[in-house]
């Protein structure tokens, strides 16, 4: 099979490696990712003009395409590929609205009475915004309606220290986008559930937890994600199976509601959930693999990903997808100053350090496999695979000696100290 992959971050490197276990890869890249380029038979640079990508797909007789990043799912590319009879295992622009419009997502949850909704309201003028705060004293998460790259959400009591700051930030969003989403602040442990779906069958992947905050002990500003963990038996030690099942039912209900709505979702769907003391709550729903959490599950995936893509496209997805029963810990190496004032840098990677229990995925970098040039974004995803989360974390730490250069990494992810704090809670 000839597979077209659009996207070139760490998550896409993990997809590319799965594809290459069995089939041929053709890639559309946004950065000159040396791993993806090395794995591909042919590569072009991403352009907004979808015709060039369609021509590339036709020239290479593509059997199935997978469009991975959120900003590209928010273009007409998937629809144009479909119109040109190129099979795609990703949602079109309308179905991707489950991620690209938080208004669409909250309206769907309200209309179909889907469990896990959060009290929310959309405000579009500053007068109403002020009255909104005059009339209630709860804390809120202030969110843009559209894509934020993981960095646009600010929460009162975390990034916003008082009502005045919340009003200022919400006003900024109204000025820019015309409206802002206010969601009542929820407290609890967050977790991610990703699933494959052909819009009828939903097949769940292992549960993962993402660490968004820049600094150790979950402090500092939000980032695209500094690392992520998954455990044996596919749930996390601080979540009960009832909580995980509640979240899975919510995700299934969302997929079913979109089908009933005449907007079927095909591809990978990913829910960011929170386990609160009054039940599971939906923080956001996304139309793709998560990054980094997608890398944890793709590393564990035993089934053939190309068969899964073909089944998603043809509506024949089966509940027989297999994952290795192991724990994983991923820590992202990022350039110095990442998230605040990043500096591009060079990293040297010793040859052939990958083993069965340690992998390096290449993210927003160019250069070669042994010497990468970073951008201002995440550079290398280091993942350990073990029998416990602690063991997987130690595997990453042990392999850091093979990577040289000026970088930042959160060492605390998956350590015993961090996990004990969570399990105690
Ligand atoms: N893990 C955050 C995201 O993929 O949006």
């Amino acid at each position: 099979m000839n597979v077209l992959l659009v996207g070139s971050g760490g998550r896409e490197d993990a997809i590319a490696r799965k594809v290459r276990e069995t089939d041929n890869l053709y890639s559309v890249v946004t950065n000159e990712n040396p791993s993806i380029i090395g794995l591909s038979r042919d590569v072009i640079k991403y352009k907004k003009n979808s015709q060039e990508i369609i021509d590339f797909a036709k020239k290479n007789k593509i059997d199935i395409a997978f469009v991975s990043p959120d900003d590209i799912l928010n273009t007409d590319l998937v629809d144009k590929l479909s119109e040109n009879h190129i099979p795609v295992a990703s949602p079109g622009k309308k179905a991707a609205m489950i991620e690209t419009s938080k208004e669409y997502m909250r309206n769907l949850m309200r209309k179909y009475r889907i469990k896990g909704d959060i009290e929310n309201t959309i405000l579009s003028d500053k007068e109403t915004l002020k009255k909104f705060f005059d009339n209630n004293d709860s804390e809120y998460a202030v969110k843009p309606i559209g894509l934020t790259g993981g960095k646009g959400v600010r929460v009162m009591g975390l990034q916003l220290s008082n009502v005045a700051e919340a009003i200022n930030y919400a006003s900024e969003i109204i000025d820019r986008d015309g409206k802002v989403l206010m969601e009542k602040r929820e407290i609890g442990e967050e977790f991610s559930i990703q699933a494959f779906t052909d819009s009828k069958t939903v097949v769940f992947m292992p549960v993962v937890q993402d660490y968004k905050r820049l600094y150790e002990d979950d402090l500092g500003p939000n980032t695209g994600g500094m690392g992520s963990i998954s455990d044996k038996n596919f749930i996390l030690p601080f979540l009960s199976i009832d909580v995980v099942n509640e979240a899975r039912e919510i995700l299934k209900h969302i997929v079913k509601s979109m089908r009933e709505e005449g907007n079927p979702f095909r591809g990978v769907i990913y829910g960011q959930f929170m386990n609160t003391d009054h039940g599971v709550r939906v923080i956001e729903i996304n139309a793709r693999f998560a990054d980094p959490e997608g890398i944890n599950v793709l590393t564990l995936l035993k089934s053939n990903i190309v068969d899964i893509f073909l089944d998603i496209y043809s509506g024949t997805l089966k509940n027989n997808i297999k994952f290795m029963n192991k724990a994983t810990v991923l820590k992202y190496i990022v350039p110095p100053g990442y998230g605040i004032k990043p500096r591009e840098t060079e990293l040297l990677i010793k040859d052939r350090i990958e083993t069965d229990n340690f992998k390096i995925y290449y993210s927003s970098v160019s250069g070669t496999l042994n010497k990468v040039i970073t951008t201002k974004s995440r550079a290398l995803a280091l993942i350990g695979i073990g029998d416990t989360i602690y063991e997987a974390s130690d595997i990453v730490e042990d392999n850091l000696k093979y990577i040289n250069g000026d970088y930042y990494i959160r060492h605390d992810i998956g350590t015993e100290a961090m996990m004990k704090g969570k399990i105690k809670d």
Side-chain angles (χ1 to χ4, degrees):
M1 290 280 162
N2 291 336
V3 180
L4 178 75
L5 173 65
V6 180
S8 50
R11 166 185 58 193
E12 287 77 25
D13 188 17
I15 300 169
R17 292 200 211 180
K18 283 304 297 175
V19 169
R20 282 292 291 115
E21 283 177 8
T22 51
D23 292 276
N24 302 322
L25 180 71
Y26 294 84
S27 299
V28 179
V29 298
T30 49
N31 56 289
E32 292 185 357
N33 184 312
S35 177
I36 295 178
I37 291 174
L39 293 166
S40 303
R41 284 202 164 182
D42 200 0
V43 183
I44 54 167
K45 187 108 176 120
Y46 174 74
K47 300 246 175 63
K48 284 226 166 75
N49 172 5
S50 36
Q51 191 56 46
E52 283 188 34
I53 300 173
I54 290 158
D55 294 343
F56 179 71
K58 285 186 174 163
K59 183 181 97 183
N60 291 303
K61 300 193 172 29
I62 292 301
D63 296 294
I64 186 80
F66 189 76
V67 178
S68 177
D70 47 358
D71 53 340
I72 304 182
L73 290 169
N74 197 24
T75 71
D76 65 0
L77 178 60
V78 170
D79 299 316
K80 292 284 182 205
L81 287 165
S82 302
E83 281 166 26
N84 282 273
H85 312 291
I86 296 153
V88 200
S90 308
K93 191 169 180 183
K94 190 166 164 217
M97 279 172 68
I98 196 69
E99 167 164 11
T100 59
S101 168
K102 292 186 183 70
E103 186 172 17
Y104 176 86
M105 184 270 278
R106 289 292 171 206
N107 284 343
L108 186 91
M109 290 195 73
R110 195 170 299 132
K111 179 170 170 189
Y112 289 87
R113 299 178 190 282
I114 299 172
K115 277 181 76 178
D117 204 5
I118 294 176
E119 192 186 310
N120 68 87
T121 182
I122 289 178
L123 302 173
S124 48
D125 71 84
K126 294 185 203 167
E127 206 47 47
T128 326
L129 173 66
K130 197 173 162 308
K131 282 201 198 115
F132 175 82
F133 278 106
D134 287 345
N135 295 335
N136 77 69
D137 52 13
S138 301
E139 288 189 315
Y140 284 85
V142 182
K143 299 187 172 184
I145 303 290
L147 296 176
T148 64
K151 296 156 205 147
V153 174
R154 293 193 195 163
V155 182
M156 293 172 72
L158 294 175
Q159 298 85 4
L160 302 167
S161 26
N162 51 45
V163 170
E165 279 187 28
I167 291 178
N168 271 346
Y169 184 54
S171 304
E172 239 178 67
I173 297 174
I174 292 175
D175 285 342
R176 192 189 62 210
D177 303 341
K179 49 189 166 184
V180 65
L181 173 63
M182 310 294 293
E183 287 179 359
K184 199 159 177 184
R185 181 178 178 195
E186 297 280 358
I187 311 265
E189 201 65 60
E190 285 193 44
F191 59 99
S192 305
I193 297 191
Q194 301 163 88
F196 297 106
T197 181
D198 60 1
S199 92
K200 298 185 293 289
T201 302
V202 179
V203 185
F204 295 105
M205 307 186 213
V207 185
V208 189
Q209 187 170 53
D210 173 25
Y211 296 86
K212 292 193 176 72
R213 308 290 286 275
L214 181 59
Y215 302 129
E216 304 208 340
D217 300 323
D218 286 330
L219 298 172
N222 275 341
T223 67
M226 294 299 298
S228 43
I229 62 167
S230 74
D231 202 3
K232 267 184 117 162
N233 302 322
F234 312 134
I235 68 169
L236 290 161
F238 44 84
L239 295 175
S240 70
I241 189 66
D242 289 346
V243 163
V244 171
N245 283 339
E246 197 176 327
R248 287 177 177 154
E249 286 308 313
I250 291 170
L251 213 45
K252 272 196 198 164
H253 197 175
I254 286 174
V255 170
K256 182 165 173 271
S257 305
M258 288 183 74
R259 200 172 70 243
E260 282 173 24
E261 193 73 2
N263 187 19
F265 186 98
R266 291 184 196 87
V268 172
I269 191 159
Y270 136 50
Q272 185 74 47
F273 296 98
M274 186 179 275
N275 182 23
T276 74
D277 61 9
H278 47 280
V280 170
R281 291 291 174 268
V282 173
I283 303 299
E284 58 185 43
I285 302 291
N286 295 314
R288 55 183 168 82
F289 282 110
D291 192 346
E293 303 98 299
I295 304 177
N296 299 72
V297 295
L298 285 157
T299 303
L300 294 173
L301 181 63
K302 289 205 287 194
S303 303
N304 181 321
I305 199 167
V306 181
D307 288 345
I308 298 173
F309 288 164
L310 290 166
D311 283 342
I312 287 173
Y313 167 71
S314 53
T316 53
L317 194 67
K318 291 166 273 312
N319 214 330
N320 60 359
I321 297 174
K322 298 273 184 293
F323 294 88
M324 272 192 279
N325 191 13
K326 291 277 187 185
T328 60
V329 171
L330 185 155
K331 307 188 192 196
Y332 252 120
I333 282 193
V334 299
Y338 173 70
I340 297 176
K341 207 165 171 246
R343 270 195 340 272
E344 290 163 19
T345 186
E346 258 180 29
L347 300 170
L348 300 176
I349 302 135
K350 199 168 155 45
D351 210 4
R352 282 191 280 280
I353 58 167
E354 287 203 355
T355 59
D356 282 349
N357 62 14
F358 176 72
K359 312 271 171 222
I360 302 178
Y361 295 99
Y362 291 68
S363 186
S364 297
V365 293
S366 58
T368 65
L369 290 178
N370 298 115
K371 183 176 176 183
V372 299
I373 300 146
T374 75
T375 57
K376 293 178 176 163
S377 294
R378 296 176 293 184
L380 300 172
L382 274 45
I383 188 162
I385 304 139
D387 284 320
T388 63
I389 291 174
Y390 314 144
E391 187 196 331
S393 171
D394 287 345
I395 290 170
V396 174
E397 294 296 319
D398 286 348
N399 280 286
L400 284 177
K401 58 180 176 284
Y402 297 116
I403 298 175
N404 289 306
D406 190 13
Y407 64 77
Y408 173 71
I409 188 168
R410 261 188 70 174
H411 295 286
D412 64 330
I413 295 171
T415 56
E416 201 161 343
M418 166 187 262
M419 297 308 298
K420 288 233 160 91
K422 284 181 185 293
I423 296 164
K424 209 169 15 140
D425 286 342

